[in-house]
Amino acid sequence: MKIGANNNQKVRLLLLLTALSCLTVFAFFSQTQPSSAVNDTNSSYIVQSTNVETAVSVVESAGGTVTSEMSVINAVLAELTARQKAVVEAEPQIMRVWEDADVYSTSYSQHSVTPNSAIDSRNSDMNLHEIATCQDGYFDSFGYIPFHNYFDDYFNKYQFNLSDVGADAEIALQLDFYEKRTREAKVSVFQASTGDWHTYPITTNQSERSIIQTTINLSDLGLSASDLSNLQIHFHVSKDRSRASVKIDCVNINVSGNGNSGDSANATNVNAEPVWAVGNLGAGVGVAVIDTGVVPFISLSGAANHQNSYHGSSLGIVDGVDLTGNYPSGIWDDNGHGTAVASMISNFLMNPLNGDYFGIAPDSHIIPITVLNENGRGRYSGIISGIQWAIENKDVHNIRIINMSLSAPVRSQYWDDPLNQAVMRAWAEGIVVVAAAGNNGPDAMTIGVPGNNPYVITVGALSDSHTPANWQDDYVPRFSAVGPTYEGFVKPEIVAPGVRIPGSIPDWALLASKLSDKKIGYRTYGAPYEYFGLSGTSMSTAQVSGVVALMLAEHPNLTPDEVKYRLMMSAQMAVMPDGQLAFSIWQQGAGRVNAYNAVYGDYTGTANQGLNIHADLNGTEHFGGPTRYDKASNTYYLVDSEGNASGYAWSDGYAWSDGYAWSDGYAWSDGYAWSDTYAWSDTYAWSDAYAWSDMYAWSDSVDGDAEASMAVTSEEE
């Protein structure tokens, strides 16, 4: 009996252990299930086929959901899980699948300059890497602090070379450090031209091991070019108690290209006054502004002559579309960027400083296409749908121009990018596309999408150095993005004013609060819209769109290729006294825009020679430009149609001198036709000179459809 009882107990124990094991396995799989579910969450993809119907059928057969159709590129926007995406990609009818990627407005953001040397006064060099980036986890110790008061022989010295910073730039020292038991701290800035030290005390002793974040405006010191080329800054600390310590997080000079005065004269900088003088104000030309929306401020709501502006209407703004889903007509703007851009194109308010219109083409009319949100961000799918809407409604509103003051990182060759495909379709439909170069300069190969498209007019920035009437001191600011493109095309095509451009922003808009220090103060007949001095290639793009409106008002039969040709042929290059270019062609393109020459000059011809937009769109042929790169010398150079070097070369670097003149007498490389192109071959590659954005990885089998979030290209941050 005991043996039997023991056996029963063993059986019960075995059953219990088995049950516990099953529960453990069940619990394990239950816990891992969410991980699998995460992999099967929906993401947005642009799915392209030979036609929209096929794309819809494939997506739905895979279990995905089509959220919108983009017939302009034979694609749909679809919600797919990872497994559904794999099924769609495997279908032979599907050409490409992209992840819906970000796009940004191109207003100018400040950039930081790090010290070129840093020395502890106790004869020890400092690691520049440790003080280059704020909040990166790297620090440099100040060392032993022996005194309760400042002792002039104990300091850290930082030296900056700001020789390439323009005269109108704002500069501010940023010094972030952690302190413990300190008593006082100060920064001293040496102005070599006067021999003066400028001292700025820093409040410390806030709390144990607190971080002190200090920003000191140096713009008011009147630093000369020689001061900026060798700017010395000393940092002193005294202790409050024993064992005081300081760890320095970062020491930077923040440079912003936009001064506060906002006195840039748009028309003077682009030579528009003589066009207005003969009565050409751009009447009847429609400009689609693909952006954050547009608020109908009063000076945009009527013509400069206060008569009918468009098709018998007194409105200078007509109903567009809001693809963000907030306001159906697109006539609203929670960000302010789109309104500012529109006010630089079509605006009959006059600048009280000089009597010029704020808008380059004050009688043109604006069609707002809202694709960016209140933060100035959007998606590829939204921008593509906006272009499609413009094409479908071009005859209704006489849309002759699309202004794209936005940019996204380059993720592929231009012909594979879905946004570039939509842009090419608009160009082929007779709409002039004016696109921002972007604000990622001054390095080479920094042009964004769609500015990297070889067909469109890509616009870089220039600064007037606070002297609108004097072109001789104008320069290409550091932020303006630089060519060439990955395929070797020279970009930008042209440069235009892009620093401190007056633009109207509603009081409630996000940019109005972010840019309060850029406020100029003009109000539009008491309405809640003030003007701000704005910078970035967004502003440059708007200036050129206004010039194109003047061109098309005078010559309504011009094709996009003819418009581009006249703009470039009439532009003026920045040339040194010895005949050399002050800025490379990959920085200034054909030169600065000249409205009068572009409208009334005797130029007959077409740009984009050697390209075939229909073959590009059909996928039968693609093209490359004339730029090559020599890695050994870090030099970009041009070749002719036979592949021979043309004699023009540029070593990647930013240089600026005020000893040049903007001239229209410069011949491009003595007869070099910069329109030379060639059929693209995979045998040519940039190698180390170019890297795709780390944000996107391309599939070997399918060109992933990134829903690029577009951002505005003004420098507001």
Side-chain angles (χ1 to χ4, degrees):
M1 292 290 295
K2 290 182 179 179
I3 294 176
N6 287 339
N7 285 338
N8 289 336
Q9 290 174 354
K10 289 179 180 179
V11 170
R12 292 192 188 97
L13 180 60
L14 181 60
L15 291 173
L16 178 61
L17 291 174
T18 301
L20 289 174
S21 298
C22 292
L23 287 173
T24 301
V25 172
F26 175 80
F28 173 79
F29 280 108
S30 297
Q31 291 172 358
T32 59
Q33 197 62 27
S35 175
S36 174
V38 168
N39 292 333
D40 280 342
T41 56
N42 286 336
S43 297
S44 294
Y45 297 94
I46 300 173
V47 180
Q48 187 178 40
S49 184
T50 55
N51 57 71
V52 170
E53 292 74 17
T54 301
V56 170
S57 175
V58 171
V59 168
E60 292 180 347
S61 296
T65 302
V66 173
T67 57
S68 65
E69 297 181 0
M70 291 169 280
S71 60
V72 67
I73 59 170
N74 293 321
V76 298
L77 182 66
E79 293 292 317
L80 299 170
T81 66
R83 282 179 282 200
Q84 291 167 348
K85 175 176 177 283
V87 172
V88 170
E89 288 176 333
E91 289 292 332
Q93 307 99 307
I94 298 302
M95 299 167 60
R96 300 174 184 88
V97 176
W98 290 275
E99 184 183 346
D100 208 12
D102 290 336
V103 184
Y104 311 88
S105 60
T106 49
S107 49
Y108 171 63
S109 303
Q110 70 179 19
H111 67 277
S112 298
V113 178
T114 58
N116 57 305
S117 68
I119 300 174
D120 189 301
S121 63
R122 287 151 285 193
N123 299 318
S124 61
D125 290 337
M126 300 166 63
N127 187 333
L128 295 178
H129 172 72
E130 293 176 341
I131 60 173
T133 306
C134 301
Q135 300 179 15
D136 63 347
Y138 292 94
F139 309 94
D140 182 83
S141 174
F142 188 86
Y144 177 62
I145 304 173
F147 303 107
H148 293 281
N149 296 305
Y150 294 129
F151 190 67
D152 288 341
D153 289 339
Y154 286 81
F155 57 85
N156 282 355
K157 172 184 174 182
Y158 309 103
Q159 188 163 328
F160 294 84
N161 182 358
L162 303 173
S163 58
D164 56 5
V165 172
D168 67 337
E170 297 176 29
I171 59 172
L173 171 69
Q174 180 177 0
L175 173 62
D176 292 0
F177 61 94
Y178 287 87
E179 63 90 23
K180 180 180 179 182
R181 298 176 182 148
T182 61
R183 180 180 182 183
E184 295 176 298
K186 68 177 180 179
V187 165
S188 299
V189 180
F190 183 61
Q191 187 171 7
S193 60
T194 63
D196 295 329
W197 283 95
H198 303 277
T199 301
Y200 302 88
I202 301 173
T203 302
T204 62
N205 223 9
Q206 295 180 354
S207 64
E208 290 289 297
R209 299 179 181 177
S210 62
I211 184 170
I212 309 296
Q213 296 178 302
T214 303
T215 301
I216 300 171
N217 185 3
L218 305 181
S219 299
D220 298 332
L221 296 181
L223 300 173
S224 67
S226 60
D227 294 333
L228 292 172
S229 66
N230 186 21
L231 187 62
Q232 296 184 38
I233 294 176
H234 289 185
F235 177 47
H236 305 259
V237 179
S238 66
K239 68 179 181 180
D240 181 50
R241 288 176 281 167
S242 61
R243 292 184 295 176
S245 64
V246 169
K247 294 191 299 181
I248 300 158
D249 183 18
C250 61
V251 184
N252 293 323
I253 299 289
N254 293 325
V255 180
S256 177
N258 39 335
N260 288 336
S261 64
D263 58 359
S264 180
N266 306 22
T268 300
N269 271 327
V270 302
N271 197 27
E273 299 103 320
V275 182
W276 299 339
V278 297
N280 183 353
L281 301 177
V285 178
V287 184
V289 176
I290 297 183
D291 214 288
T292 61
V294 178
V295 173
F297 52 90
I298 295 176
S299 55
L300 177 64
S301 298
N305 56 17
H306 303 284
Q307 297 176 4
N308 290 343
S309 174
Y310 174 64
H311 285 192
S313 168
S314 63
L315 296 180
I317 181 171
V318 300
D319 282 356
V321 64
D322 184 350
L323 296 173
T324 66
N326 295 322
Y327 306 98
S329 67
I331 303 181
W332 196 254
D333 187 3
D334 288 324
N335 175 272
H337 185 269
T339 302
V341 166
S343 72
M344 298 171 191
I345 301 170
S346 174
N347 187 348
F348 69 73
L349 185 70
M350 288 186 173
N351 189 329
L353 292 177
N354 51 43
D356 288 341
Y357 294 115
F358 279 122
I360 299 299
D363 263 1
S364 62
H365 57 277
I366 299 296
I367 302 94
I369 300 178
T370 305
V371 296
L372 305 180
N373 63 21
E374 64 178 6
N375 296 311
R377 299 175 67 93
R379 294 281 184 175
Y380 256 41
S381 56
I383 284 80
I384 293 168
S385 295
I387 294 171
Q388 178 173 306
W389 189 93
I391 294 172
E392 292 171 347
N393 291 273
K394 67 185 180 72
D395 295 332
V396 177
H397 299 304
N398 195 32
I399 297 175
R400 301 297 308 277
I401 304 161
I402 291 178
N403 185 93
M404 303 190 73
S405 292
L406 44 77
S407 187
V410 177
R411 292 170 171 84
S412 74
Q413 291 152 326
Y414 75 86
W415 59 81
D416 270 332
D417 186 282
L419 177 55
N420 271 326
Q421 291 175 13
V423 163
M424 287 191 287
R425 184 67 66 186
W427 191 273
E429 292 287 337
I431 302 176
V432 178
V433 179
V434 185
N439 300 326
N440 294 319
D443 293 336
M445 303 187 78
T446 50
I447 303 287
V449 177
N452 69 327
N453 191 301
Y455 295 93
V456 306
I457 299 165
T458 303
V459 186
L462 65 83
S463 171
D464 65 13
S465 299
H466 288 272
T467 58
N470 177 18
W471 288 14
Q472 306 310 307
D473 59 358
D474 294 3
Y475 65 96
V476 177
R478 288 179 60 93
F479 66 78
S480 188
V482 177
T485 69
Y486 171 77
E487 298 82 14
F489 289 100
V490 177
K491 288 282 182 174
E493 273 78 18
I494 203 164
V495 292
V499 176
R500 297 173 293 103
I501 306 302
S504 179
I505 300 177
D507 286 358
W508 65 81
L510 178 64
L511 288 189
S513 60
K514 291 181 66 176
L515 301 178
S516 58
D517 60 327
K518 312 301 179 192
K519 187 178 295 186
I520 300 171
Y522 315 135
R523 278 189 176 265
T524 306
Y525 304 127
Y529 314 116
E530 293 202 68
Y531 281 77
F532 295 75
L534 305 174
S535 298
T537 54
S538 277
M539 287 64 249
S540 308
T541 305
Q543 305 283 293
V544 172
S545 289
V547 172
V548 173
L550 297 177
M551 295 170 65
L552 291 172
E554 183 69 22
H555 309 283
N557 295 323
L558 288 177
T559 67
D561 285 343
E562 290 170 335
V563 168
K564 181 175 177 178
Y565 180 84
R566 291 180 69 94
L567 269 178
M568 296 178 66
M569 293 300 293
S570 61
Q572 296 175 269
M573 304 284 287
V575 183
M576 300 295 288
D578 62 0
Q580 297 297 310
L581 293 181
F583 300 94
S584 78
I585 59 174
W586 297 282
Q587 293 169 303
Q588 65 170 317
R592 69 181 300 153
V593 66
N594 187 313
Y596 184 83
N597 290 355
V599 175
Y600 297 109
D602 185 15
Y603 307 106
T604 303
T606 59
N608 299 333
Q609 292 290 316
L611 299 177
N612 186 329
I613 196 167
H614 299 291
D616 242 333
L617 286 169
N618 293 334
T620 57
E621 192 173 15
H622 305 298
F623 304 92
T627 308
R628 298 292 183 273
Y629 173 72
D630 180 66
K631 182 179 178 181
S633 60
N634 189 31
T635 299
Y636 296 86
Y637 62 97
L638 297 178
V639 297
D640 59 25
S641 57
E642 302 298 322
N644 301 312
S646 68
Y648 184 82
W650 171 54
S651 178
D652 182 13
Y654 181 89
W656 174 59
S657 168
D658 56 7
Y660 62 85
W662 291 94
S663 169
D664 57 5
Y666 183 81
W668 278 67
S669 301
D670 296 330
Y672 167 74
W674 88 305
S675 60
D676 281 350
T677 59
Y678 63 93
W680 180 262
S681 169
D682 290 336
T683 58
Y684 182 80
W686 286 101
S687 185
D688 296 337
Y690 193 87
W692 299 120
S693 167
D694 292 336
M695 296 172 59
Y696 192 81
W698 288 91
S699 165
D700 290 337
S701 57
V702 178
D703 297 318
D705 172 76
E707 178 176 9
S709 87
M710 287 306 209
V712 288
T713 48
S714 50
E715 295 210 297
E716 76 276 10
E717 297 175 359

